[in-house]
Amino acid sequence: MSNATTKAALAQRKTASSGDSADLRQLIERQKPEIARALHGTALNPERFTRVALTVIRQSADLQRCRPESLLGALMTSAQLGLEPGPLGEAYLVPYGDQVTFIPGYRGLIKLAWQSGQLRHISARVVHEGDRFSYSYGLHPDLIHQPTRGDRGPITDVYAAATLIDGGVEFEVLDVATVETIRARSRAGRKGPWVTDWEAMARKTAIRQLAKWLPMATVMSRAIAAEGTVRTDLDADALDDLTADPGPEVLDADPAWDGPEPPGDQARNQEPTTQGDA
């Protein structure tokens, strides 16, 4: 089946979002050839990608209520970047109103960072109050992090660090207040992975800041540019010209948000969970 078949099926729907998971399954099955084309050259298998995507959608009533073209568009973005949505945390499908937005996860950005071929090491970690932690920038940058055993206390900082193949070292450190400021500017900041996977999103934020200093693969730049976007073009080549400056993530604020307040320190101290209704 062609991409035109999927578009025709979307046009025949009587409502923008029926909440019918069986209907969505059929649409995704129709889109599978284009998903396979988008995945060409990546390490992902089209069958597994589709199966995982269907599981994520089935577990989220909010996703099922979104416009199907935006859901398929987010899947196409994820596929072309070679990132698997779901429990691995490489990418998230986040409902915003009746649209689905694409959010790369920290594991996804690390995966894409390796594709530059210029890194020996890259990681992102959180720092707790009880850890031994110090860092300095300038002509002799240095970072020391020694996690303590037992109760480490609340999270105080998050950092991302990379070693280049030429021996250079780059790192970015953000305290919790800075992470929360960035989160507040994100229209998905009070729902989805920012609520279910705060630690993972904090790490992703640090990696995004670190990307300013790294030799980036084009695909990583595209992932950063695609963050928070709504896509309805189902062509597998639609991201080819998408690039961005990996500066601070700034998304439109949601002035109409009336949901629960973000989690406090207790939620921040938990290990990242699976995507669920992210």
Side-chain angles (χ1 to χ4, degrees), residues 16-27:
S17 177
S18 68
D20 187 343
S21 60
D23 189 23
L24 289 172
R25 175 183 289 274
Q26 292 176 4
L27 288 172

Side-chain angles (χ1 to χ4, degrees), residues 130-272:
D131 297 348
R132 180 192 174 199
F133 181 67
S134 64
Y135 67 96
S136 60
Y137 293 116
L139 295 179
H140 303 285
D142 190 29
L143 185 150
I144 297 174
H145 180 205
Q146 295 181 342
T148 190
R149 293 180 179 273
D151 183 7
R152 298 169 63 190
I155 293 174
T156 59
D157 301 89
V158 59
Y159 67 90
T163 303
L164 308 180
I165 58 174
D166 64 3
V169 174
E170 299 288 353
F171 60 85
E172 280 285 339
V173 179
L174 305 174
D175 58 26
V176 166
T178 301
V179 173
E180 286 293 282
T181 298
I182 293 173
R183 171 185 176 173
R185 295 200 297 262
S186 168
R187 65 181 183 182
R190 295 177 180 262
K191 62 195 307 183
W194 270 116
V195 175
T196 61
D197 299 316
W198 187 94
E199 182 176 321
M201 290 298 286
R203 294 187 190 199
K204 188 266 307 186
T205 301
I207 291 174
R208 181 167 175 154
Q209 302 304 311
L210 177 67
K212 298 193 299 287
W213 314 110
L214 298 182
M216 279 201 302
T218 300
V219 68
M220 185 179 181
S221 177
R222 289 174 181 163
I224 291 172
E227 179 168 350
T229 61
V230 175
R231 173 181 174 184
T232 57
D233 188 330
L234 305 184
D235 192 322
D237 299 321
L239 288 184
D240 282 352
D241 297 325
L242 188 60
T243 57
D245 178 357
E249 53 181 308
V250 181
L251 301 178
D252 294 336
D254 178 8
W257 174 256
D258 59 359
E261 288 300 309
D265 290 340
Q266 181 177 2
R268 294 189 191 123
N269 294 336
Q270 295 174 353
E271 288 299 314

Side-chain angles (χ1 to χ4, degrees), residues 39-116:
L39 287 172
H40 181 71
T42 75
L44 298 183
N45 176 277
E47 293 298 326
R48 172 180 167 82
F49 183 92
T50 302
R51 184 172 65 254
V52 171
L54 287 169
T55 298
V56 170
I57 294 166
R58 187 171 60 249
Q59 292 175 343
S60 173
D62 286 343
L63 283 176
Q64 294 172 33
R65 286 190 289 266
C66 288
R67 293 182 179 271
E69 59 268 30
S70 70
L71 176 56
L72 292 175
L75 286 176
M76 291 302 297
T77 296
S78 191
Q80 190 172 355
L81 292 171
L83 302 180
E84 183 180 282
L88 292 181
E90 291 186 356
Y92 299 93
L93 309 178
V94 182
Y96 182 71
D98 63 352
Q99 306 278 14
V100 179
T101 60
F102 169 82
I103 303 288
Y106 88 90
R107 291 184 178 92
L109 290 185
I110 285 178
K111 177 180 178 180
L112 299 181
W114 281 112
Q115 295 186 22
S116 71

